[in-house]
Amino acid sequence: MNKEMHKNFYKLMLVTHRQNYPLDQYLYFIKCCVIFGITSVQLREKNASYRFLVEFALRLKEILDPFSIPLIINDRLDVALASNACGLHLGQSDGSVLHAREMLGADKIIGTSINSIERLEAANHFPINYVGMGAIFKT
């Protein structure tokens, strides 16, 4: 990830929540969000299959890559690797940050979720780029 992309990554992240919208319609929505200034996208579709997630990720990259907007995959190291996403976001019980860093390499973004000061202090000892605090809604 280049320095300019890294600098802007944190400004405005769109976290996907497609629900029952057709994929093409949802991708059009994301294209509109790109035009209006999102700086990163996190692909977060909790109940989707591996195959669907890889397809979704690759189609997102077609939209995002020309604008140097990073794609972060939520929870699924396998999907991040298969799609060559810019990074991975791991929840507290979604796998090892150390293993993810080993598999993804030093140039990829890794983030994790925290919900306490203790988790924040522990996160300072991991090879991550950012933390997300608190739950937005129940999954």
Side-chain angles (χ1 to χ4, degrees):
M1 185 168 77
N2 66 43
K3 285 187 178 191
E4 188 63 28
M5 187 186 296
H6 190 269
K7 182 177 110 179
N8 290 322
F9 167 77
Y10 303 100
K11 289 185 179 178
L12 183 59
M13 178 184 281
L14 181 148
V15 179
T16 68
H17 188 63
R18 189 182 61 85
Q19 296 179 317
N20 294 324
Y21 288 99
L23 184 56
D24 287 336
Q25 184 179 349
Y26 198 76
L27 290 168
Y28 176 76
F29 162 74
I30 291 176
K31 284 180 187 179
C32 293
C33 293
V34 166
I35 292 166
F36 288 104
I38 61 168
T39 59
S40 59
V41 172
Q42 184 181 136
L43 176 54
R44 182 183 190 272
E45 301 293 327
K46 287 288 191 179
N47 298 314
S49 70
Y50 169 82
R51 185 175 182 178
F52 176 81
L53 287 170
V54 171
E55 176 190 352
F56 195 173
L58 292 173
R59 292 191 63 193
L60 280 170
K61 284 179 61 61
E62 289 175 3
I63 295 167
L64 302 174
D65 285 356
F67 296 92
S68 296
I69 296 173
L71 174 63
I72 307 301
I73 305 297
N74 185 271
D75 298 343
R76 299 286 305 261
L77 176 59
D78 57 346
V79 175
L81 290 167
S83 64
N84 194 29
C86 289
L88 177 69
H89 181 92
L90 291 172
Q92 295 176 21
S93 61
D94 294 321
S96 164
V97 169
L98 296 174
H99 176 69
R101 177 59 70 203
E102 181 181 319
M103 296 300 295
L104 291 171
D107 293 337
K108 299 289 185 172
I109 299 167
I110 297 181
T112 190
S113 298
I114 61 169
N115 61 4
S116 69
I117 294 297
E118 293 78 24
R119 293 265 187 193
L120 176 61
E121 290 171 352
N124 284 318
H125 302 287
F126 289 117
I128 58 173
N129 302 92
Y130 73 94
V131 296
M133 290 187 65
I136 298 172
F137 51 84
K138 290 183 180 182
T139 56

